[in-house]
Structures are given as C-alpha cells and as structure tokens.
Amino acid sequence: MTLMKSNLIAAAEIDRLDTWAKYTAPMCGSCMSSCCTLPVEVKIKDLIRIGIVDEFERGEPAKNIAKRLQKEGIVERYNQKSEIFTLQRMSNNDCLYLDRKSRLCTIYDKRPDTCRNHPKIGPRPGYCAYKPKPQVRPTNTSSRTLERF
C-alpha cells in the first residue's frame, strides 16, 4: 500500500519555506495576510509614495532620513550600503500598515514595491505563506421556546 502525499497545505509556517503554497491570485481573498508579517524592505521612492518622506528630502543623506524614521518608530533598520530601509513591525509581527481586524492593507494604493511584487520576489519566488482565514460557521438561529414547569 502506497501513501500519497497531499499537495494541499492547510497553513504555511512563515519560517519554513517548504510549507509555502504555489501562489495563485484567488488565494489573497481568503488569506490571513501572512505575507504582511514578513519584513518589508523599502527604498526612498517607496517612503515618498507612502507619504512619510517628502519629495524635497530626496536630496538629504538617506542615513539622516533613517535616523528620523527610526525615532518615529517607522523604520526598524537601515542598510547604508544598499540604501534599503526595513519597516518596523508591530509586536505581533504585522506590518505597521495592516489593519488588525480586516487584515487588509491601509495604504494599498501607495504600498511599497516589495508588496506590489510579492510573491514574484521574496524568500521563495512564486510561493506564498498562505494561511486561510478561519471559516465562520452559520449559527442556528431558530428560536427555542422554554417550557415552564
């Protein structure tokens, strides 16, 4: 008797790339936004698009911008060699811009290139750490009558 390995992974583990599922567009609508718990690397143009850096600051040294954004709690790290900023995450590892209740991006139209290009780029191109939203089961709404004894 041969056991067949299931191709369906119910929920990926963010740190175990082997559990990630091959990406398909419909996955996003039923996911818990697990990609929004990954570190988000951005460049100056992303910070300008988001609106946390002004266009006139573009000429300022990026390390000065990084210091300001680190003080404000927006940037966690800055790599001076690559000029890449890593956005700060909330205590539960969610992106600063992820709404906790809806699990939707609050800056979707202005989101960084890293997010726009996921999962074409990232830790495992073409795959995502898909975690399905919990299924809400309909409750029985029939009225019950209490009998008096």
Side-chain angles (χ1 to χ4, degrees):
M1 182 167 134
T2 307
L3 294 174
M4 293 180 57
K5 186 177 178 182
S6 173
N7 290 335
L8 180 63
I9 298 172
E13 292 181 39
I14 203 85
D15 295 327
R16 287 192 46 220
L17 297 181
D18 62 313
T19 65
W20 288 26
K22 182 85 173 141
Y23 172 77
T24 60
M27 294 169 100
C28 294
S30 63
C31 185
M32 284 295 295
S33 305
S34 48
C35 58
C36 299
T37 64
L38 295 168
V40 178
E41 294 180 339
V42 299
K43 296 196 175 228
I44 283 286
K45 66 178 183 169
D46 295 307
L47 298 172
I48 291 170
R49 184 186 318 121
I50 293 169
I52 54 179
V53 172
D54 292 325
E55 182 66 48
F56 70 85
E57 288 181 278
R58 189 185 286 267
E60 191 176 324
K63 68 179 181 176
N64 294 351
I65 295 170
K67 282 181 186 178
R68 175 178 67 82
L69 295 176
Q70 284 174 322
K71 282 182 185 176
E72 293 176 13
I74 297 171
V75 165
E76 180 182 323
R77 286 186 308 276
Y78 172 67
N79 183 314
Q80 194 167 352
K81 191 174 185 176
S82 63
E83 294 193 340
I84 291 177
F85 301 79
T86 303
L87 295 181
Q88 185 67 261
R89 291 184 284 173
M90 292 188 263
S91 60
N92 65 352
N93 282 338
D94 281 354
C95 173
L96 285 177
Y97 300 104
L98 184 67
D99 182 272
R100 284 185 177 226
K101 287 187 179 183
S102 69
R103 306 291 299 164
L104 297 174
C105 180
T106 60
I107 60 163
Y108 188 79
D109 291 337
K110 300 184 282 183
R111 70 193 183 281
D113 287 342
T114 299
C115 303
R116 292 171 187 266
N117 294 316
H118 182 78
K120 289 180 266 181
I121 61 167
R124 190 174 181 199
Y127 289 79
C128 74
Y130 176 74
K131 281 190 179 175
K133 288 182 181 175
Q135 295 292 323
V136 179
R137 295 180 185 223
T139 58
N140 186 351
T141 57
S142 64
S143 60
R144 293 183 181 170
T145 317
L146 293 176
E147 293 182 29
R148 292 182 182 227
F149 292 93

